């Protein structure tokens, strides 16, 4: 849909504002604001309505809206005291006062029909094979997929779909390093460059915008990601993956709505349930979160005889955390064990196996089992030694074991000395330790004579 007012044209489908033929750069929030206002010309739009439209499920101050309107006026060259476009209605809201012409935009399917295809059969074959390798989410297939996408580009250097595939593959290589304290940021930068190249080659390719949205979230540029995902949906409104990318870029009610749309179009995508559960957990709606995770697990684990597209990790890890929150340690341990033992070869398999091992370790610490907890944290470090969390857990487990050993020593000495008070025994241990540490072993000796003397 196109909205024309004064010298400006707002393309709601592509989320772009032009003054004549010149683009007017606006951040996503201001584009949302102008789109909302021009869609209701001459109508009073309350502040509450704008808060709900622009910041759903987020609490912001009134100053945020005032500043957004001020910035939009500045971009339009408007004057608050003599408004041409946006009129302030004191204590109530705003009204768009300029005449607005609404022009039906070209249908998305018609635009998509003009997108750039390759004429090379071998390039198309390499692209298809690379896509299938990525959809398996098998970590060992990602490097092979990269080679297929590179081959497609060697055969057709202007093939935007191959750049999309390459961007996804390099991003997944980055994601496989995410469990480390220092993930490989160069892979994320490379993936972003390739996604931007795909958009530049074919701005009507929805998957290019959707892939860019997914990568921008990884770079913590969520407003840009949201706009890119919305652009993908405007171009290809019937493709489920674009709604998933929108859900990934948003939060709260907006995420839930996007993911429901994703599942309406493609019910067999278990990771959508995982992301819905994240919102419910943040709202402390644990039963809704558990329900979503059960649904995702049922999809994930149905028909085990078939290889699935886009299998998910993390469902049982989050189910285990919810069990812990409810005091169900046995249920948590069962879910953590399932997460640890399944899907290790998948894209996020190692990350969530480590997360489950660490969670199990901290649960054991909480239950007073430092020796078992130590084994868990050592197991996590065997999978990847570039992690802080299991090292902290290991330190806590060793401190717990030291406390247990000292307590055992006190009990043993108390048994030997009978009625002697524990405090005095503790002083004896400290004195004995100092005496031992102060002795010098005899030449060629082992230094064990101190221990014998203490006995």
């Amino acid at each position: 849909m196109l909205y024309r007012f004064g010298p400006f044209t707002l393309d709601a489908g592509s989320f772009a504002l032009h003054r004549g033929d010149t683009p007017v750069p606006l951040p996503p929030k201001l584009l949302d604001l102008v789109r909302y206002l021009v869609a209701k010309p001459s109508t009073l739009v309350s502040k509450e309505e704008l808060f709900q439209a622009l910041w759903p499920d987020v609490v912001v101050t009134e100053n945020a809206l005032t500043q957004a309107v001020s910035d939009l006026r500045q971009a339009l060259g408007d004057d608050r005291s003599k408004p041409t476009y946006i009129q302030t209605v004191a204590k109530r809201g705003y009204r768009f006062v300029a005449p607005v012409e609404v022009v039906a935009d070209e249908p998305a399917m018609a635009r998509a029909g003009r997108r750039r295809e390759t004429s090379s059969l071998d390039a198309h074959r390499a692209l298809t094979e690379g896509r299938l390798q990525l959809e398996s989410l098998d970590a060992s297939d990602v490097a092979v997929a990269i080679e297929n996408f590179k081959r497609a580009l060697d055969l057709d250097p202007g093939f935007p779909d191959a750049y999309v595939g390459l961007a996804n593959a390099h991003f997944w290589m980055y994601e496989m390093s995410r469990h480390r304290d220092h993930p490989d940021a160069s892979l994320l930068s490379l993936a972003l460059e390739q996604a931007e190249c795909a958009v530049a080659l074919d701005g009507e390719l929805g998957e290019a915008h959707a892939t860019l949205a997914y990568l921008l979230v990884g770079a913590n540029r969520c407003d840009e990601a949201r706009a890119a995902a919305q652009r993908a949906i405007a171009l290809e409104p019937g493709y489920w993956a674009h709604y998933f990318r929108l859900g990934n870029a948003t939060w709260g009610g907006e995420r839930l709505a996007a993911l429901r749309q994703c599942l309406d179009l493609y019910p067999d995508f278990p990771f959508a349930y995982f992301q819905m559960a994240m919102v419910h957990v943040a709202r402390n709606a644990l039963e809704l979160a558990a329900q979503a995770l059960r649904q995702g697990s049922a999809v994930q684990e149905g028909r085990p005889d078939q290889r699935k597209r886009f299998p998910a990790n993390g469902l049982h890890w989050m189910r285990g955390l919810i069990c812990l929150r409810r005091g169900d340690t046995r249920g948590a341990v069962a879910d953590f064990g399932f997460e640890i033992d399944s899907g290790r070869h998948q894209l996020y398999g190692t990350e969530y196996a480590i997360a489950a091992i660490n969670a199990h370790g901290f649960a054991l610490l909480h239950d007073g089992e430092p020796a078992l907890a130590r084994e868990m944290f050592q197991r996590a470090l065997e999978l990847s030694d570039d992690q802080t969390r299991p090292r902290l857990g290991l330190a806590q487990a060793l401190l717990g074991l030291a406390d247990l050993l000292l307590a055992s020593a006190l009990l043993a000495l108390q048994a030997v000395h009978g009625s002697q008070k524990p405090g005095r025994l503790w002083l004896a241990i400290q004195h004995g330790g100092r005496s031992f540490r102060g002795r010098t072993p005899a030449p060629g000796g082992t230094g064990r004579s101190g221990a014998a003397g203490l006995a």
Side-chain angles (χ1 to χ4, degrees):
M1 191 74 70
L2 300 177
Y3 298 92
R4 291 178 181 154
F5 54 95
F8 297 98
T9 300
L10 174 68
D11 186 340
S14 63
F15 297 91
L17 179 68
H18 287 77
R19 182 186 182 102
D21 294 328
T22 304
V24 179
L26 287 179
K29 196 66 68 180
L30 295 192
L31 284 169
D32 285 340
L33 175 59
V34 67
R35 184 178 63 167
Y36 201 84
L37 292 174
V38 299
K40 298 185 175 185
S42 304
T43 302
L44 173 62
V45 180
S46 70
K47 294 179 181 180
E48 291 74 17
E49 186 177 349
L50 287 171
F51 280 127
Q52 184 59 36
L54 271 64
W55 292 279
D57 300 300
V58 178
V59 178
V60 297
T61 66
E62 191 167 320
N63 287 338
L65 178 58
T66 302
Q67 186 62 52
V69 172
S70 175
D71 291 344
L72 180 56
R73 281 189 174 123
Q74 184 175 355
L76 299 176
D78 203 8
D79 185 344
R80 184 180 187 278
S81 60
K82 297 179 181 179
T84 303
Y85 302 109
I86 304 172
Q87 179 189 66
T88 299
V89 181
K91 299 183 179 180
R92 298 191 63 188
Y94 301 93
R95 179 183 287 115
F96 199 85
V97 294
V100 177
E101 178 188 3
V102 182
V103 181
D105 196 7
E106 188 177 13
M109 292 303 293
R111 290 198 305 268
R114 293 202 305 266
R115 53 177 299 269
R116 199 246 192 230
E117 294 277 356
T118 184
S119 60
S120 168
L121 180 61
D122 288 335
H124 181 70
R125 179 181 291 111
L127 173 77
T128 303
E129 289 176 356
R131 282 176 169 172
L132 289 174
Q133 285 149 351
L134 289 189
E135 289 185 6
S136 74
L137 294 190
D138 190 317
S140 64
D141 283 345
V142 178
V144 183
I146 289 174
E147 293 308 311
N148 273 312
F149 296 132
K150 286 181 176 178
R151 172 169 167 73
L153 286 171
D154 286 342
L155 294 164
D156 185 348
F159 193 11
D161 299 76
Y163 277 106
V164 169
L166 206 51
N168 277 304
H170 280 126
F171 181 66
W172 287 358
M173 293 288 284
Y174 164 76
E175 291 282 270
M176 285 190 284
S177 73
R178 198 177 63 170
H179 62 271
R180 304 200 303 254
D181 283 354
H182 304 92
D184 190 345
S186 66
L187 288 168
L188 177 58
S189 298
L190 177 60
L192 281 166
E193 290 175 11
Q194 290 161 342
E196 288 165 351
C197 184
V199 171
L201 285 168
D202 188 350
E204 303 298 313
L205 178 57
E207 185 62 18
H209 294 278
T211 295
L212 181 59
Y214 202 52
L215 275 54
L216 287 168
V217 172
N220 201 29
R221 292 158 59 183
C222 292
D223 282 345
E224 294 173 73
R226 179 171 173 261
Q230 288 173 329
R231 172 63 173 152
I233 291 170
L235 288 167
E236 298 167 1
Y239 187 38
W240 63 271
H242 299 346
Y243 294 94
F244 171 70
R245 268 64 170 268
L246 178 61
N248 186 59
T250 55
W251 187 244
E254 190 173 1
R255 168 175 283 195
L256 293 175
L259 293 175
R260 289 190 193 103
Q261 184 67 30
C262 166
L263 289 169
D264 284 345
L265 293 167
Y266 184 53
D268 295 330
F269 187 55
F271 197 66
Y273 293 102
F274 179 92
Q275 292 220 337
M276 294 172 80
M278 290 173 66
V279 176
H280 295 315
V281 167
R283 293 174 169 177
N284 203 30
L286 297 186
E287 182 50 45
L288 288 176
Q291 179 182 338
L293 293 167
R294 285 193 296 269
Q295 290 175 291
S297 298
V299 172
Q300 170 74 8
E301 291 146 29
R303 298 297 302 274
D305 56 316
Q306 293 184 353
R307 287 191 71 192
K308 294 181 175 63
R309 299 172 66 205
F310 308 110
N313 298 99
L315 295 160
H316 284 275
W317 165 73
M318 193 181 293
R319 288 177 65 172
L321 293 180
I322 292 172
C323 285
L324 282 182
R325 180 68 177 81
R326 291 170 164 172
D328 179 10
T329 303
R330 180 176 295 181
V333 168
D335 275 312
F336 292 149
F338 192 98
E339 188 70 55
I340 292 165
D341 293 336
S342 63
R344 186 73 61 81
H345 63 285
Q346 290 168 201
L347 180 64
Y348 296 101
T350 298
E351 177 179 346
Y352 284 108
I354 289 172
I357 292 168
N358 285 334
H360 192 177
F362 283 109
L364 289 166
L365 280 178
H366 181 269
D367 288 347
E369 298 284 355
L372 295 176
R374 178 181 63 178
E375 293 177 11
M376 280 291 168
F377 295 125
Q378 288 173 333
R379 186 176 174 186
L381 288 168
E382 286 170 5
L383 290 176
S384 174
D385 62 358
D386 185 13
Q387 301 178 74
T388 299
R389 188 180 298 272
R391 293 189 185 282
L392 291 174
L394 187 59
Q396 286 183 259
L398 292 173
L399 287 172
L401 285 170
D403 288 343
L404 287 175
L405 289 171
L406 287 172
S408 298
L410 281 170
L411 289 173
L413 285 170
Q414 192 171 7
V416 170
H417 292 278
S419 61
Q420 190 171 140
K421 293 181 180 180
R424 292 178 181 175
L425 294 175
W426 176 243
L427 290 174
I429 291 172
Q430 287 185 312
H431 177 74
R434 283 196 296 271
S435 299
F436 174 66
R437 286 192 294 269
R439 290 178 181 165
T440 302
T446 64
R448 293 181 182 174
S449 58
L454 185 61

